[in-house]
Amino acid sequence: MLQYPQIDPVAIALGPLKIHWYGLMYLVGFLAAWWLGRRRAHRLGLNADAVETLIFYCAMGVILGGRVGYALFYGFDKLADNPLWLLKIWEGGMSFHGGLTGVLIAALVFARKQNLRFFQLTDFIAPLVPIGLGAGRLGNFINHELPGRVSDVPWAMVFPNMGSAPRHPSSLYEFALEGVVLFVVLWWFSRNPRRMGATSGLFLLLYGIFRFAVEFVRLPDPQLGFIALGWVTMGQLLTLPMILGGLALIAWSRRQPINKTEAATAR
């Protein structure tokens, strides 16, 4: 059994102002997406200002969509009792699926402004996302969030305020899969021009598989528990359409041309 590291969730405290590691992880994700996006901006004929605008749109999509998604999928009772609870972001609660929806809406708006095809833009965005996902899972781990189920594996940990039973460090599994592995695969896959929709489809498929699998060792949300068949979690229910959508998008992409702009400018 491994010792759960004692890391103060507050990274910086300046009087009443407290900056949490979780918030800094979001900043890491946005900065990484900005830096990586600038490296490949030429593929879409975008300049540095356009990339900054895109990242800003996506950041708003992540924050607003993530909060609204959490309220609808995981905290609807609280939202119904007190609609103002939606604004209490400092109490925690963000949903990946809500954030993804927000990013897709942001991408749609940006694509129309830049005269880009929607999947052409999402193929550009997909490889920029995993570093932020991985950083967010590290933030969850520091905050003692997303505890795993009880286990006797050698790397199990006793979570603070969760009793004495060792548990899977499920947030670290997600960091490794959704962050490291997903980034390496997508960045490698998209290094050369691909058929439109292929990179987006691969992102949906792999994230869906990784998240669906980790849910088997992650505790279900206590306010929901298992929602079907005695083992299906809300995370799995929301992730299944991603897997199916990713497969469908990959199949659809096989009939699409390779992006001419990328083929002419890739290096």
Side-chain angles (χ1 to χ4, degrees):
M1 183 178 66
L2 299 180
Q3 180 69 35
Y4 198 103
Q6 297 300 314
I7 304 175
D8 190 341
V10 177
I12 303 172
L14 301 173
L17 177 63
K18 295 182 179 180
I19 301 176
H20 290 72
W21 282 109
Y22 189 70
L24 291 178
M25 292 301 117
Y26 273 82
L27 181 60
V28 167
F30 295 141
L31 288 176
W34 169 78
W35 183 72
L36 293 172
R38 285 170 61 94
R39 292 189 60 183
R40 288 186 171 179
H42 62 279
R43 291 190 173 195
L44 295 183
L46 299 177
N47 57 32
D49 289 341
V51 171
E52 291 175 2
T53 301
L54 172 61
I55 299 304
F56 175 76
Y57 281 19
C58 290
M60 293 299 99
V62 167
I63 295 171
L64 297 177
R67 182 58 178 172
V68 172
Y70 181 84
L72 293 177
F73 300 141
Y74 299 98
F76 189 77
D77 289 343
K78 287 185 178 180
L79 181 65
D81 291 339
N82 179 19
L84 293 179
W85 170 77
L86 180 66
L87 305 178
K88 298 181 179 180
I89 299 178
W90 57 89
E91 293 185 359
M94 297 288 282
S95 163
F96 164 80
H97 297 89
L100 175 62
T101 302
V103 169
L104 293 178
I105 294 173
L108 180 61
V109 173
F110 185 85
R112 289 182 174 179
K113 287 180 175 293
Q114 296 291 327
N115 295 317
L116 296 171
R117 298 185 67 176
F118 177 71
F119 287 117
Q120 182 185 18
L121 183 59
T122 59
D123 286 344
F124 175 80
I125 294 173
L128 313 182
V129 174
I131 290 181
L133 294 179
R137 295 313 183 193
L138 285 181
N140 291 140
F141 183 72
I142 293 172
N143 280 352
H144 312 150
E145 297 169 342
L146 310 183
R149 304 183 195 184
V150 174
S151 173
D152 59 358
V153 296
W155 55 87
M157 299 179 180
V158 176
F159 277 63
N161 304 317
M162 292 288 294
S164 60
R167 299 176 178 276
H168 283 285
S170 53
S171 54
L172 294 185
Y173 298 167
E174 293 189 72
F175 160 75
L177 294 173
E178 301 168 12
V180 179
V181 175
L182 190 58
F183 171 73
V184 171
V185 172
L186 289 179
W187 194 256
W188 171 83
F189 180 79
S190 60
R191 74 193 190 286
N192 295 318
R194 299 288 179 175
R195 297 185 184 277
M196 188 169 57
T199 304
S200 301
L202 186 61
F203 171 86
L204 293 175
L205 176 63
L206 291 182
Y207 178 89
I209 292 174
F210 293 157
R211 175 66 182 273
F212 196 94
V214 173
E215 287 285 325
F216 283 111
V217 297
R218 173 175 152 179
L219 273 183
D221 295 272
Q223 70 274 26
L224 298 177
F226 298 109
I227 61 175
L229 304 177
W231 60 268
V232 178
T233 66
M234 176 61 79
Q236 289 174 319
L237 182 65
L238 294 174
T239 299
L240 186 58
M242 292 183 64
I243 297 174
L244 299 177
L247 289 171
L249 192 53
I250 290 172
W252 174 81
S253 73
R254 294 173 65 86
R255 301 191 297 272
Q256 303 305 310
I258 294 177
N259 184 273
K260 294 182 180 179
T261 302
E262 289 194 9
T265 60
R267 60 174 180 264

